[in-house]
Amino acid sequence: MGKISKKILFSRDAIQKRVRELAYQISKDYAGRELIIIGVLKGAFILMADLIREMSIPCKVDFAGLASYGAGSESSGKVVMTKDIETSIKEKDILVVEDILDTGLTMQYFVDRLKERNPKSLKTCIFLVKRKKRKVNFKADYVGFNIDNCFVVGYGLDFNEKYRFLPHIYVIKK
Ligand code: 5GP
């Protein structure tokens, strides 16, 4: 593997500002309701922790693990749930929090699985959405930033399990 170069795409400050705006919007939209937020591991764990602490309404949290297997960094379409949620979501208001939308296959799979459990409502909050032609026509309800079709790390996002801890979001060139 050659040397990897990284460039800041969103600074810690820019991230924090956008997370606050999302939290404000979500708090307004769900005011007076009982919200359950489901984070997708591992990538969304930092976003989720920041988001719920900026919200002005209470919520319950749970986590799911999803993996998509394939060659290289592109999702293959074979998505599996490696960890299921522990909460019953039947008749509940659910918000799924995810780090990034690329092909859309992972989110489409997860949302379809959750809908089978008959939640009262189901929305998604995805921090980074790549501008590209997706394999599935998936639309997020809350979006942090739309980004070009590049590979990003930091703020929970990894490259071979590295870089998740970085406070900024970087574009890497392999
Ligand atoms: P999708 O199913 O939408 O193609 O891919 C979603 C998953 O692929 C994300 O949850 C994430 O794990 C991974 N992924 C897609 N694009 C990137 C990227 O630019 N950086 C990182 N670190 N992971 C990505």
Side-chain angles (χ1 to χ4, degrees):
M1 161 101 40
K3 194 174 163 3
I4 291 173
S5 73
K6 349 196 248 330
K7 195 175 127 238
I8 291 185
L9 183 63
F10 299 110
S11 68
R12 176 188 236 157
D13 284 354
I15 294 167
Q16 189 183 54
K17 180 166 176 282
R18 190 65 191 122
V19 170
R20 279 201 182 131
E21 289 167 357
L22 289 171
Y24 176 81
Q25 190 61 49
I26 292 165
S27 302
K28 215 166 91 177
D29 295 351
Y30 287 93
R33 287 153 74 181
E34 222 184 287
L35 179 62
I36 300 176
I37 297 192
I38 300 175
V40 180
L41 296 171
K42 301 176 193 170
F45 79 110
I46 294 179
L47 167 63
M48 177 115 155
D50 284 351
L51 189 70
I52 64 172
R53 286 178 296 172
E54 294 290 351
M55 281 169 42
S56 56
I57 57 164
C59 65
K60 291 181 179 165
V61 299
D62 205 338
F63 290 93
L66 296 170
S68 68
Y69 295 105
S73 52
E74 174 104 323
S75 174
S76 64
K78 259 215 167 328
V79 184
V80 290
M81 206 184 291
T82 53
K83 183 210 174 298
D84 199 353
I85 51 170
E86 292 163 8
T87 317
S88 166
I89 62 168
K90 192 166 186 264
E91 316 273 306
K92 306 281 189 201
D93 289 313
I94 306 302
L95 179 67
V96 174
V97 173
E98 169 67 312
D99 51 2
I100 192 161
L101 193 74
D102 184 15
T103 63
L105 290 165
T106 306
M107 266 296 102
Q108 188 67 63
Y109 170 87
F110 190 47
V111 162
D112 287 348
R113 293 291 77 71
L114 293 180
K115 279 186 177 161
E116 290 166 359
R117 301 179 191 182
N118 301 314
K120 190 201 288 176
S121 72
L122 179 63
K123 287 193 175 183
T124 57
C125 172
I126 304 184
F127 201 54
L128 303 174
V129 174
K130 290 189 190 176
R131 289 189 202 93
K132 66 187 276 188
K133 191 168 170 358
R134 259 175 267 296
K135 290 189 178 165
V136 289
N137 185 21
F138 186 88
K139 281 249 173 309
D141 298 289
Y142 302 94
V143 173
F145 298 104
N146 288 292
I147 63 167
D148 289 338
N149 190 16
C150 54
F151 196 83
V152 293
V153 296
Y155 197 62
L157 286 149
D158 76 311
F159 173 54
N160 289 344
E161 292 303 322
K162 284 162 68 182
Y163 309 122
R164 289 194 199 276
F165 62 93
L166 294 173
H168 313 295
I169 292 172
Y170 298 81
V171 178
I172 63 168
K173 287 205 181 69
K174 292 174 257 174

